[in-house]
Amino acid sequence: MNNPLSRLRDRFQSNIQFRLTCYFLLILLPLVLASLFAVERSRHILLEQAAERSETALSSAMDYIDLTLQNVEEISTLVATDPDLLQLLNKHGERVDAAAVVDFAQVLGKLSNVNSVNRMVSQIAVYHMPSQMLVSTRDGGRMVDVPAQRRWLERIAAENGTAIAYLLAEEEVGGGQLGELAQTDGVSLVRTMDLYNSQRRGDLVLISLDMSRLTNLMQSLLPSPGTTIYLRTETGQIVAGSSRAEGGDVVPASSPQREEDAGMLTVSIDSSYSNWQLTMRQPRHELYAKTDQLRVYTLVIIVISILLALGISWVIYAGIAAPVDKLVKGMKRVGGGALTVRLDNRRQDELGYLTEAFNRMVVDQRRLIEDHYEQQLRLAKTELNFLQAQINPHFLYNTLNSIHRTAQNYEAEEISEMVLNLSRFFRLSLNKGEAVITVDECLSHLHYYVRVQQLRFLDSFAVEYRVEAAARDVPILKLLLQPLVENAILHGLEGRDEGGRLLVAVRVVDERLLQIEVRDNGAGMSAARAHYVRQEMERLARQDFHLYSVSETAVRDLFGLRNVLARIKLYYGAGAELAIESREGEGTAVTLRLPLRSREALDAAALPVHEEEQTT
């Protein structure tokens, strides 16, 4: 009887709380083991996936680098075999006279044209050995004055023949470095001119890669702050990368290869074209950062679960009858009209939830009754505000007319015309509360706004209206085009001194659609910005427009486009479309396609919205 196992067995059989505790612990044991195994497995999977992603990214980058090198080598071949360049260079010897300067200027022009077709090339230079002149697209022409540098160039021409050599800026060149001679900070391709002439001279062409673009390409692959990436030649020299200061040579790895040490994940890709190697090294602790947090959370959850298992078994049966009796008494009091009843609740289980739900029900019922009376008061206040608002437009018209007459008296014609157009714009905007007007009225109204903007921008842009006769009497929503025209003027045409053009075209398509196009020849949008705008419009088109004012309260831009899209979807239904086309430097076009509707149908389309707003 004194055996501890016997005492535990007796307690297990006689005490339900102890038995529940044991059951909970047995349930938790496999969950604990499974959680720890899942964490370790996730670390391994994460490492494998990171290596695979790195290999894919490095392969794509290396393919791009190989393509760049191929393009550079093709450019070098074109330059080295260009008969016009060769004729200009072969015409002159050691003496640099006026004719040589003119011809070298032509050489520089041809090199600049070739340089402009490849963004990865920072400069192209040609060394004319007889005159010792280096003609470069970066700094024009200059003499190579250092004898050791001239001897180095002659040696390169003699040793390489028609072959191509890639040299780094740190390459020793007659007591200096190639970067100082060629004015470059990266790798340069060097080869002789006049490839097909066995009696060629020692003229050279040097093509330098733009290291900033190459470095930016490599930096874009970095997945974390501690990751380093570098590009090495087949001899192990570092060409570019975030770890350029590391120095040192390495033996190129086979492609692809994964090096894994205690603290780093290293992935290397070799080029089959250039034999260069692209290597990425990422600290493992950055890969495991999230899984380490998950491990800590798992341990915390395990400890909490064990503590809960010990505590739940002792309180699971406690206090069940009292909360039920309290709920019954509370319901009887509410049934008698006592709407201030609140039951004390400190429980977190199902009974606690029921008690809290009862308390919320009493509060909600009391609030509904109070809100009914408050709604009647707000309705009366809204009616008074509406009556007061009817006075404000009349005051606004009189004030604008007074300013118009005053401007005429002082012979301020532009101000007078601007105020007059603004007054007409506001008068038609209010339009006695009507929401639907014809296309002809809409364009007349729009022209007042456009004229104000033309005066503001000193007539730096012109407006053209192309309206089919069949479209003039078609009813549309009021103020539908003004946000689109405002965007075209403020974001497209603003900043132009002259030559701006704004086109508003309206036509009927297939007797079922009204197509409205607002086009400008302004600054346009970048490809990234245009893609973002289209994505936002597509996302907005999938939403419930009855809840637009609630769901879009956090937006920070595209207010006009969002407003127009929401209105046409609400009034015209799913058949309404808004399309955007823009090219940077060429302009932007916004096109609306609206199903043809009668004025009565458009007026009726707003009724469900108002009824829903009154019921919410």
Side-chain angles (χ1 to χ4, degrees), residues 301-322:
I301 291 173
I302 290 173
V303 173
I304 294 175
S305 299
I306 293 175
L307 295 177
L308 288 176
L310 296 175
I312 288 175
S313 62
W314 297 98
V315 297
I316 193 169
Y317 289 113
I320 294 180

Side-chain angles (χ1 to χ4, degrees), residues 88-89 91-109 128 131 133 135 140-143:
L88 292 172
L89 295 174
K91 285 170 55 178
H92 303 283
E94 298 181 358
R95 185 178 174 213
V96 181
D97 53 13
V101 171
V102 173
D103 288 341
F104 287 155
Q106 294 184 27
V107 171
L108 179 60
H128 186 244
S131 65
M133 176 69 71
V135 181
R142 61 184 178 87
M143 300 292 294

Side-chain angles (χ1 to χ4, degrees), residues 271-288:
S271 168
S272 59
Y273 175 78
S274 62
N275 291 328
W276 288 9
Q277 183 187 72
L278 191 59
T279 303
M280 180 185 293
R281 292 169 55 84
Q282 183 175 7
R284 288 193 177 191
H285 69 84
E286 292 184 351
L287 288 173
Y288 294 150

Side-chain angles (χ1 to χ4, degrees), residues 50 54 58 218-230 241-244 246 263-267 279-287:
S54 299
L58 292 181
M218 297 168 60
Q219 292 284 357
S220 65
L221 304 177
L222 299 180
S224 62
T227 305
T228 57
I229 186 171
Y230 40 89
S242 63
S243 61
R244 188 178 180 86
E246 293 180 6
M264 303 291 292
L265 169 65
T266 303
V267 180
T279 303
M280 180 185 293
R281 292 169 55 84
Q282 183 175 7
R284 288 193 177 191
H285 69 84
E286 292 184 351
L287 288 173

Side-chain angles (χ1 to χ4, degrees), residues 384-395:
L384 291 175
N385 290 336
F386 174 75
L387 295 175
Q388 178 65 28
Q390 290 180 333
I391 302 175
N392 294 334
H394 181 70
F395 172 76

Side-chain angles (χ1 to χ4, degrees), residues 192-203:
T192 57
M193 296 287 292
D194 202 2
L195 297 179
Y196 305 133
N197 185 4
S198 59
Q199 304 298 324
R200 72 180 70 86
R201 294 185 314 200
D203 297 346

Side-chain angles (χ1 to χ4, degrees), residues 15-164:
N15 193 305
I16 189 171
Q17 286 85 359
F18 183 78
R19 190 158 63 245
L20 285 173
T21 302
C22 294
Y23 290 152
F24 284 134
L25 293 178
L26 288 175
I27 293 173
L28 289 176
L29 181 60
L31 295 178
V32 169
L33 297 177
S35 299
L36 296 177
F37 173 77
V39 171
E40 294 302 321
R41 181 60 182 167
S42 65
R43 288 164 64 90
H44 178 72
I45 294 175
L46 182 63
L47 183 64
E48 291 293 326
Q49 291 178 345
E52 292 175 0
R53 287 195 301 269
S54 299
E55 287 179 2
T56 302
L58 292 181
S59 296
S60 299
M62 181 55 76
D63 290 341
Y64 180 78
I65 293 172
D66 285 346
L67 182 60
T68 298
L69 295 180
Q70 292 178 19
N71 291 337
V72 171
E73 292 177 6
E74 291 174 359
I75 290 174
S76 70
T77 302
L78 292 175
V79 173
T81 59
D82 189 312
D84 295 334
L85 285 177
L86 295 175
Q87 182 181 3
L88 292 172
L89 295 174
N90 292 333
K91 285 170 55 178
H92 303 283
E94 298 181 358
R95 185 178 174 213
V96 181
D97 53 13
V101 171
V102 173
D103 288 341
F104 287 155
Q106 294 184 27
V107 171
L108 179 60
K110 289 180 176 294
L111 295 180
S112 298
N113 292 335
V114 175
N115 190 18
S116 63
V117 302
N118 194 314
R119 298 175 59 190
M120 290 297 292
V121 174
S122 62
Q123 70 164 336
I124 302 177
V126 171
Y127 175 65
H128 186 244
M129 182 170 292
S131 65
Q132 301 166 2
M133 176 69 71
L134 184 66
V135 181
S136 169
T137 58
R138 172 169 292 179
D139 52 8
R142 61 184 178 87
M143 300 292 294
V144 180
D145 299 325
V146 181
Q149 293 180 350
R150 295 198 294 267
R151 289 193 296 272
W152 181 87
L153 292 170
E154 294 173 0
R155 180 175 59 83
I156 288 294
E159 291 178 355
N160 283 0
T162 60
I164 293 173

Side-chain angles (χ1 to χ4, degrees), residues 272-508:
S272 59
Y273 175 78
S274 62
N275 291 328
W276 288 9
Q277 183 187 72
L278 191 59
T279 303
M280 180 185 293
R281 292 169 55 84
Q282 183 175 7
R284 288 193 177 191
H285 69 84
E286 292 184 351
L287 288 173
Y288 294 150
K290 293 184 178 180
T291 56
D292 289 342
Q293 292 180 0
L294 182 60
R295 176 188 289 178
V296 173
Y297 295 155
T298 302
L299 294 177
V300 171
I301 291 173
I302 290 173
V303 173
I304 294 175
S305 299
I306 293 175
L307 295 177
L308 288 176
L310 296 175
I312 288 175
S313 62
W314 297 98
V315 297
I316 193 169
Y317 289 113
I320 294 180
V324 172
D325 183 63
K326 187 164 47 177
L327 280 172
V328 171
K329 293 181 179 179
M331 290 179 180
K332 290 181 179 179
R333 294 178 60 188
V334 171
L339 297 179
T340 59
V341 173
R342 180 172 180 82
L343 302 180
D344 185 41
N345 179 35
R346 295 185 178 88
R347 301 179 64 97
Q348 302 297 324
D349 56 6
E350 290 84 351
L351 289 175
Y353 175 80
L354 289 175
T355 304
E356 186 63 27
F358 172 81
N359 290 333
R360 288 199 301 268
M361 179 196 68
V362 175
V363 172
D364 291 342
Q365 187 174 1
R366 184 175 67 250
R367 188 174 299 165
L368 285 174
I369 296 175
E370 294 173 352
D371 288 348
H372 174 73
Y373 295 103
E374 292 177 0
Q375 185 178 10
Q376 300 301 319
L377 294 176
R378 287 196 297 268
L379 185 61
K381 183 178 180 180
T382 302
E383 182 68 20
L384 291 175
N385 290 336
F386 174 75
L387 295 175
Q388 178 65 28
Q390 290 180 333
I391 302 175
N392 294 334
H394 181 70
F395 172 76
L396 176 62
Y397 303 149
N398 291 340
T399 302
L400 290 176
N401 288 333
S402 299
I403 297 174
H404 166 60
R405 294 191 185 94
T406 303
Q408 284 183 325
N409 293 336
Y410 285 94
E411 298 183 355
E413 296 300 329
E414 284 105 354
I415 298 176
S416 174
E417 184 179 356
M418 185 178 292
V419 171
L420 180 60
N421 283 282
L422 184 62
S423 174
R424 293 172 177 173
F425 176 79
F426 282 140
R427 185 179 298 275
L428 290 177
S429 296
L430 297 174
N431 202 24
K432 298 181 180 180
E434 294 182 3
V436 179
I437 59 178
T438 64
V439 169
D440 210 14
E441 292 172 336
C442 179
L443 295 180
S444 299
H445 174 217
L446 179 66
H447 186 69
Y448 296 137
Y449 170 78
V450 172
R451 187 55 190 155
V452 171
Q453 295 295 343
Q454 285 180 318
L455 292 172
R456 174 189 172 189
F457 292 110
L458 304 179
D459 287 319
S460 62
F461 68 92
V463 61
E464 178 184 358
Y465 302 97
R466 297 178 185 173
V467 186
E468 287 186 351
R472 290 188 175 275
D473 294 329
V474 175
I476 62 172
L477 295 180
K478 182 174 62 177
L479 294 177
L480 195 60
L481 301 185
Q482 190 270 338
L484 305 181
V485 173
E486 182 178 358
N487 283 345
I489 295 174
L490 299 184
H491 300 297
L493 300 176
E494 186 175 12
R496 295 183 65 118
D497 295 331
E498 61 182 7
R501 184 170 177 270
L502 176 65
L503 172 65
V504 181
V506 186
R507 64 190 184 97
V508 176

